[in-house]
Structures are given as C-alpha cells and as structure tokens.
Amino acid sequence: MLLINSKHISFNRTQLPSPDEEDLQNHVPIPADPDWWERVVMTEFGPEDWLDKFHVTRDIFLLLSAKLKPQLEQVYLEQSGQTITLERCIAMALMRLSTSAEYCFLSELFGVPIPAVCQCVREVCEAIILLLKPLYMQLPADHELEEHAEQFHTLWGFPHCIGVIDSLHIPVKSPSTETQDCWNPRGWHSVVLQGVVNAQGTFWDVCSGFTGSTDDMTILQSSELWTMAEQGGFCSQPPKELMGQPLGFLLLGDAGYSLQTWLLKCYPASANLTPQQQTFNAQLNRGLKVIENAFQRLKARWQCLHNRNDSNVDLVSKMAVACCILHNICNVYNSPFKEEWVEALSQNECPQPTDVSTVYIDDPNAEAVRSLLCSYFEQQQQSKPLDQSLTSSPGLLVPEPPQEDSAGTA
C-alpha cells in the first residue's frame, strides 16, 4: 500500500498486486520523453490540450493539486529511488478517469512503473472522497432543502422537489469472485452507482459498490438517504403547504422505485389513465431528464464509467464516487464541456438495463401525495395554455452553473 504522511507516500514493495495488476507487474515502462510532464504539459499545454488529455482545465487541475496536497504530498518509490511528484500523480489519475487509458499506456507516458500508477489512481480517488466530498457534495441542510425545491420549481415546474434519483450501471470485466451477482438484467457485469441530483444536475448524494444484480430499491434502502428520509429529514418545520395541504419535500424516481410519501414515480402506463394522471406523468418524466442528462455528462467527461473497467470492483466503486465529485467541481467552476465526448458514448457495447416495475410494496399514504400533485398540475393547466405547461423548457436540460471568479477558491 502507499503509506501517507506529510513528507511522502512510500510504495510498499512487499504488497501483492491486486488481481487487475498481476499481469502487469513485470512491465518495464519506456518513456519516450522523460521530461514530457514537466517540460511539455506544465509549460507548453494550451487550454485545448488540457481538455483533450485530462477533460478539465489547467485551473481545475491546480485547484485539485492544492486541495489534495495535505493527503498526497509526494510519492516515493523505495525500490527504485524515483520520486513521483504530487502533480504527476494527480495527472495520471485524471487521465485514467477521463480517458480510461490503460495502466500500460500511463506507465510509458509518465515514465512510472505500473504498480505505482495503480497506487496513484487509488490514492487520488480516496483523497478526493476524503477531502473534497465534504466541500462539493453533501446532504443538504434544512435551509438548503427549501432552496433546492424553489430552484427545481422555477426551472422544471415541479413543486416541493429537491432532487431526482436514479442508478447507473458501470461496466466491469468479469470479477474473479461473486460472478453471478455482478450480472445485471442486460447480461453484462457491472457495479451500480446510485445518485441524486439537484435542478442543475449537480450530485448531492451518491453511493456505490453494489453488484449489477442489485435492484434500485435494495440500493436505496441500504443508503444513508433512505435513513434520512424515513426519519423525517425531508419534512420542514413548520411544514410547507401546497394547495392548502402540508407537504414535505420530494424526490422523483422511475419505475424501479416504490412509491413513498417523499419519493414519487409515474402512474403505470394504461389506457385508463385520467387526463390529470397523464399530465402528472408528463411533468415527472420531464423532471427525470435532469438526472439522465447528468449521468450522460458524467460518463462523457469521465469515460472510465462508460468503457469496460478492468480495475477491481472495490476500486471501480471509489472511482465512480470520485468522478461524481469531480463532476460537481466542474459544474461549480463552469469547466468547458466538449460535445465530442458525448459522441464517444454512442459506441456503447453495454446499454443500461431497462427500468422495470419494482416488486416492493408502495407506501399506502403516498397515493394521496401523488393525487395532490395531480390537482396542482390541473390547476396550473387552467391558468395557462396546455402546450406551454407541457412543452415549454427552461432552456438546456441542465442550466449553466453559476460562474466563479477563480478556480482557486472553494
């Protein structure tokens, strides 16, 4: 393991490599240019070069270097006497996360032995989770819940909503153990990430590490989010009202979730749906686009979540959480996003599993909440034309995040 202190991080030469590294341990890196990082990247790279190689700006990279320094001061390989600077360690990890570059390639490009590259990726991901998650991804406080709800109502027309929840299956190579559990309904191995985003597509809660066969409700009930909601964490004091009725804050989800007083989903498709229920479904489906777009941008910028990941399951889980945090940082500082990254997603050998109705029992009190929303949208329709209430859009699927003066401030 990499031993961390304020002086350096030491590579323990006696540790056995992880399964995904076993076939690489004897590889000898062949750096074409030993000074590529210091001489070329740090001095000659322009804005487009940084985006192409790392999918972030130089300012974001420098921000990460400053924020992660307390955890990742310096890497020192005892067996070779070679020093890997903090910046080089972070750069290798970012390239792995953003382009899904193989460890062999990174080893040759940066002139670093493969086991050290693997350790850098792991340690950087763990440092991002430890140091940056508290800054850029937290369960909202009471006053923030109301802010989330107001923003979602303004942008997407759904009142009392504080976020949208869904799961993302991340392709992995066949693990050596628990193979059956990793098969998802689409017939490929995956690790599942559960995410919740706000109106702007920024994650405020994630949990990861579940095998591909795990259904959405099982993941939700295993998460801190479920505990928070069941303990009344989504109920403001005093309760806010909708059409004269007290109503807590809400999440929106798809058919894979059971109906809760704080988690709404569409009415099942049927020829017997009333016009009010059809309107409700249209509004909720519109809200679900927020997380669909967020997951698309997440996978596009951080392609280790799209391409079949050859790291072990534990590391893939940490990479997924780290990428969500990096996604938030890019949103906060308005880091440029290239549409060509989205085009890479079209070459998809692993389509996401289709949503299926859950076998879990709905909360019997939840239908009253859904009916109240039906009445609300019916009232809204009466105050403006139908085509505006259902087809108008606030603009982009995810509005641009607020600008910041500098990426050097949190």
Side-chain angles (χ1 to χ4, degrees):
M1 61 182 293
L2 291 178
L3 306 175
I4 303 172
N5 58 41
S6 60
K7 298 290 186 179
H8 59 264
I9 303 175
S10 300
F11 180 77
N12 187 343
R13 58 197 290 183
T14 62
Q15 182 191 10
L16 292 175
S18 59
D20 53 293
E21 300 159 11
E22 288 179 355
D23 60 333
L24 305 177
Q25 60 183 345
N26 296 320
H27 176 82
V28 179
I30 309 173
D33 184 351
D35 300 325
W36 177 78
W37 171 250
E38 287 81 2
R39 182 177 58 80
V40 179
V41 178
M42 295 301 290
T43 61
E44 299 179 9
F45 263 29
E48 286 299 312
D49 298 313
W50 279 94
L51 287 177
D52 287 341
K53 295 296 187 296
F54 305 106
H55 291 190
V56 296
T57 63
R58 179 187 175 94
D59 285 345
I60 295 292
F61 175 81
L62 295 177
L63 169 70
L64 294 174
S65 298
K67 294 291 186 184
L68 299 180
K69 186 176 181 179
Q71 186 75 7
L72 302 172
E73 189 70 36
Q74 189 178 20
V75 177
Y76 178 71
L77 301 183
E78 290 183 335
Q79 75 274 31
S80 65
Q82 180 181 3
T83 297
I84 304 175
T85 62
L86 167 72
E87 291 79 10
R88 188 184 296 223
C89 184
I90 294 174
M92 289 189 291
L94 284 180
M95 190 172 287
R96 170 68 173 171
L97 297 177
S98 62
T99 66
S100 199
E102 295 182 354
Y103 289 119
C104 292
F105 173 80
L106 294 175
S107 173
E108 294 176 352
L109 184 64
F110 287 88
V112 176
I114 283 180
V117 177
C118 299
Q119 293 291 356
C120 280
V121 172
R122 176 179 292 275
E123 294 294 343
V124 168
C125 288
E126 291 177 350
I128 288 173
I129 296 170
L130 177 66
L131 298 180
L132 301 186
K133 188 173 184 289
L135 299 177
Y136 296 98
M137 183 193 296
Q138 290 182 316
L139 292 171
D142 291 345
H143 70 280
E144 293 173 322
L145 290 174
E146 186 169 351
E147 293 172 2
H148 281 18
E150 291 176 354
Q151 189 175 65
F152 206 96
H153 193 193
T154 299
L155 294 175
W156 302 101
F158 211 107
H160 287 240
C161 179
I162 57 174
V164 188
I165 185 172
D166 202 0
S167 294
L168 177 70
H169 285 254
I170 302 164
V172 295
K173 288 191 174 180
S174 178
S176 57
T177 59
E178 299 180 348
T179 301
Q180 293 301 318
D181 289 338
C182 283
W183 285 104
N184 64 38
R186 279 281 194 169
W188 45 275
H189 292 101
S190 63
V191 171
V192 188
L193 168 77
Q194 174 185 279
V196 183
V197 298
N198 64 15
Q200 293 186 320
T202 298
F203 292 94
W204 58 259
D205 184 68
V206 297
C207 63
S208 181
F210 298 88
T211 56
S213 62
T214 314
D215 63 81
D216 288 350
M217 273 304 294
T218 297
I219 296 174
L220 175 57
Q221 291 177 339
S222 303
S223 69
E224 182 182 353
L225 184 70
W226 175 269
T227 302
M228 175 185 177
E230 289 296 291
Q231 292 178 350
F234 292 166
C235 297
S236 62
Q237 297 298 330
K240 302 296 180 180
E241 291 189 353
L242 183 70
M243 300 183 67
Q245 299 293 321
L247 180 63
F249 296 115
L250 306 169
L251 294 180
L252 306 183
D254 58 31
Y257 298 98
S258 64
L259 191 67
Q260 304 293 319
T261 56
W262 50 270
L263 174 56
L264 300 184
K265 62 179 181 179
C266 288
Y267 289 95
S270 168
N272 299 322
L273 290 181
T274 67
Q276 293 78 17
Q277 291 171 337
Q278 293 175 14
T279 300
F280 173 88
N281 282 1
Q283 291 286 357
L284 191 142
N285 279 323
R286 182 166 170 249
L288 293 181
K289 293 294 183 182
V290 182
I291 197 164
E292 291 175 12
N293 187 263
F295 275 151
Q296 182 186 60
R297 292 170 72 89
L298 176 73
K299 292 188 297 179
R301 190 186 293 268
W302 308 109
Q303 295 184 7
C304 67
L305 307 181
H306 168 67
N307 298 317
R308 197 177 294 274
N309 200 313
D310 60 356
S311 298
N312 61 51
V313 170
D314 171 66
L315 180 54
V316 172
S317 175
K318 293 178 180 179
M319 293 168 78
V321 176
C323 287
C324 291
I325 298 167
L326 293 170
H327 168 95
N328 287 1
I329 294 173
C330 290
N331 277 4
V332 168
Y333 299 112
N334 200 22
S335 183
F337 183 87
K338 304 184 74 169
E339 291 302 322
E340 64 188 56
W341 299 338
V342 177
E343 295 174 5
L345 302 184
S346 61
Q347 303 175 356
N348 190 0
E349 298 178 357
C350 301
Q352 289 291 308
T354 304
D355 296 329
V356 295
S357 297
T358 177
V359 297
Y360 292 84
I361 299 175
D362 293 339
D363 184 331
N365 298 315
E367 186 54 48
V369 176
R370 192 159 60 175
S371 297
L372 179 63
L373 268 297
C374 284
S375 299
Y376 169 80
F377 290 128
E378 181 181 21
Q379 183 184 76
Q380 294 298 300
Q381 276 194 341
Q382 293 172 355
S383 64
K384 61 183 179 180
L386 176 64
D387 58 344
Q388 291 184 14
S389 65
L390 290 184
T391 62
S392 61
S393 170
L396 298 174
L397 283 179
V398 178
E400 292 293 335
Q403 295 278 352
E404 294 286 342
D405 292 337
S406 170
T409 58

